[in-house]
Amino acid sequence: MVKKNQTLGEFIIENQAEFAYSSGELSRLINSIRLAAKVVNHEVNKAGLVDITGAAGETNVQGEDQQKLDVYANEKFIQTLTNREIVCGIASEESEDFITIAGQNNDHKNKYVVLMDPLDGSSNIDVNVSVGTIFSIYRRVSPIGTPVQLEDFLQPGHKQVAAGYIVYGTSTMLVYTTGHGVNGFTLNPALGSWYLSHPDMKFPETGNIYSVNEGNYVHFPRGVKNYIKYCQEEKEDRPYTSRYIGSLVSDFHRNMIKGGIYFYPTSSKAPHGKLRLLYECNPMAFIAEQAGGRASDGFNRILDIEPKELHQRVPFFCGSKNMVIKAEEFMAKDPE
Ligand code: P6P
């Protein structure tokens, strides 16, 4: 049941039956994410005023300068998720290892794991360009009552029970799926409430926007170079428009509304691609497919990839179905 402008709280109650294992735990988990998102949004929106945008002086497991806002967002989501007694473990882009949450009775009874990129695109913070949070939720596979294991996190994307993102843009939106379509909620910062502004979001089957860092062109496989030339040639519905923000969530969100493809291929500089399978590609692929789009590594469905390690990188092609299929055709002809 979808009614435009209802609040997120009303939506969750009305659609409770949709939530996996509808004992209300997943609903409470989504509620904890929306609370943390409001807190992080407040800090993101005033980052320019407070000395919080500067690099935290440390680097994360990716060897990237850790912006203070990265650290803040990571801490807020971990704190909120831990307090709700639903999650038995959290994996984050900002932490090398996963975090175990034993629960208040130290009984390891919590049933869900969350994987997240707490602030994706954070290099955009100090130039006032939108950033995002990405999350992915699974039911644990290890026995309840024992500490969470790496196997709970290394599940293929098609096992996700929910996934979503928050985009801290001109307005702040929470977009998520529990496997029953995709719905977008816009935050009214004055009231602190989220309103269903984009019910039942769908990727247009085709589009005319392509999003890739063309600065890497010389390093791309031949198939990617040929697809980019295809996008640029004067023929049929082309040339397409090139739009690349450098923030996955923002590029994905715009392409889902307008139609388009985002791709971060392998290159001689990034032989496995740059994006992380578990907390960037899998959640965005789940959302894309639920919205009628498509997501692959150029050859294989993202959601079928069997993960091997927590911070594993994969090439990523995602967006309007017909555009991703066309890119895959070019990759099949010239994969190297
Ligand atoms: P590049 C941000 O660091 C990110 O993970 C995505 O949000 C974004 O699309 C991509 O990397 C940008 O990477 O190499 O083009 O700057």
Side-chain angles (χ1 to χ4, degrees):
M1 168 97 75
V2 170
K3 282 185 233 148
K4 191 152 185 176
N5 291 332
Q6 69 183 144
T7 66
L8 176 54
E10 291 162 346
F11 178 84
I12 287 176
I13 290 165
E14 286 201 8
N15 295 277
Q16 175 64 50
E18 280 182 16
F19 285 94
Y21 320 97
S22 56
S23 55
E25 287 168 323
L26 189 55
S27 315
R28 285 177 27 235
L29 180 39
I30 299 286
N31 273 322
S32 63
I33 287 171
R34 76 173 178 173
L35 173 63
K38 275 199 289 192
V39 173
V40 171
N41 176 64
H42 181 70
E43 288 306 311
V44 168
N45 283 346
K46 67 177 188 178
L49 302 173
V50 178
D51 176 27
I52 196 167
T53 57
E58 296 168 15
T59 57
N60 63 16
V61 293
Q62 328 300 338
E64 296 163 346
D65 281 349
Q66 202 159 16
Q67 302 275 352
K68 287 179 184 173
L69 217 44
D70 274 350
V71 176
Y72 178 84
N74 194 46
E75 286 169 2
K76 281 302 156 200
F77 277 97
I78 289 171
Q79 177 186 17
T80 314
L81 289 167
T82 303
N83 293 345
R84 289 291 177 102
E85 290 299 315
I86 315 156
V87 172
C88 60
I90 300 172
S92 167
E93 178 175 39
E94 301 302 334
S95 315
E96 185 150 8
D97 296 317
F98 61 83
I99 296 161
T100 296
I101 299 165
Q104 60 188 11
N105 306 318
N106 207 28
D107 55 13
H108 300 284
K109 287 235 184 331
N110 296 341
K111 299 191 183 82
Y112 294 96
V113 294
V114 175
L115 299 96
M116 65 177 180
D117 184 352
L119 210 63
D120 179 71
S122 54
S123 57
N124 288 318
I125 293 166
D126 44 10
V127 294
N128 206 11
V129 168
S130 57
V131 293
T133 296
I134 307 171
F135 62 90
S136 171
I137 302 173
Y138 292 84
R139 191 172 172 82
R140 69 185 296 174
V141 293
S142 61
I144 287 178
T146 61
V148 69
Q149 303 294 314
L150 182 59
E151 66 178 317
D152 292 307
F153 297 97
L154 299 185
Q155 299 186 55
H158 62 76
K159 295 273 194 183
Q160 290 174 95
V161 293
Y165 60 82
I166 297 103
V167 51
Y168 308 99
T170 45
S171 61
T172 296
M173 280 194 67
L174 166 62
V175 177
Y176 77 90
T177 181
T178 59
H180 301 272
V182 178
N183 290 289
F185 298 80
T186 299
L187 177 66
N188 178 334
L191 302 177
S193 302
W194 299 87
Y195 291 90
L196 180 58
S197 53
H198 297 66
D200 197 21
M201 297 180 81
K202 291 291 178 202
F203 253 110
E205 284 238 325
T206 194
N208 65 1
I209 296 172
Y210 71 103
S211 307
V212 64
N213 183 342
E214 297 191 58
N216 297 324
Y217 182 85
V218 294
H219 303 293
F220 285 149
R222 171 59 48 205
V224 171
K225 290 179 179 175
N226 291 341
Y227 178 62
I228 290 173
K229 288 303 169 208
Y230 170 86
C231 293
Q232 294 170 341
E233 69 182 358
E234 192 108 38
K235 198 173 177 185
E236 297 158 353
D237 58 346
R238 304 182 300 283
Y240 295 150
T241 296
S242 174
R243 286 282 183 279
Y244 190 71
I245 297 174
S247 174
L248 167 61
V249 169
S250 305
D251 281 316
F252 179 98
H253 187 74
R254 179 207 51 246
N255 291 351
M256 182 155 68
I257 291 173
K258 293 181 177 279
I261 180 174
Y262 169 101
F263 47 118
Y264 206 105
T266 59
S267 68
S268 44
K269 290 196 308 180
H272 301 289
K274 174 183 182 182
L275 299 188
R276 313 297 170 168
L277 172 60
L278 290 180
Y279 41 79
E280 290 175 326
C281 299
N282 270 339
M284 301 311 267
F286 187 23
I287 295 165
E289 289 196 2
Q290 283 291 312
R294 184 180 175 95
S296 75
D297 62 4
F299 308 99
N300 310 294
R301 182 183 183 224
I302 288 289
L303 296 183
D304 289 338
I305 296 176
E306 288 291 338
K308 298 287 182 293
E309 55 183 50
L310 216 44
H311 300 289
Q312 176 175 344
R313 299 174 193 266
V314 290
F316 193 52
F317 296 71
C318 181
S320 294
K321 184 183 289 191
N322 296 345
M323 298 182 84
V324 176
I325 289 171
K326 178 58 74 176
E328 289 166 356
E329 288 171 3
F330 279 94
M331 290 304 290
K333 283 187 202 128
D334 295 287
E336 300 300 322

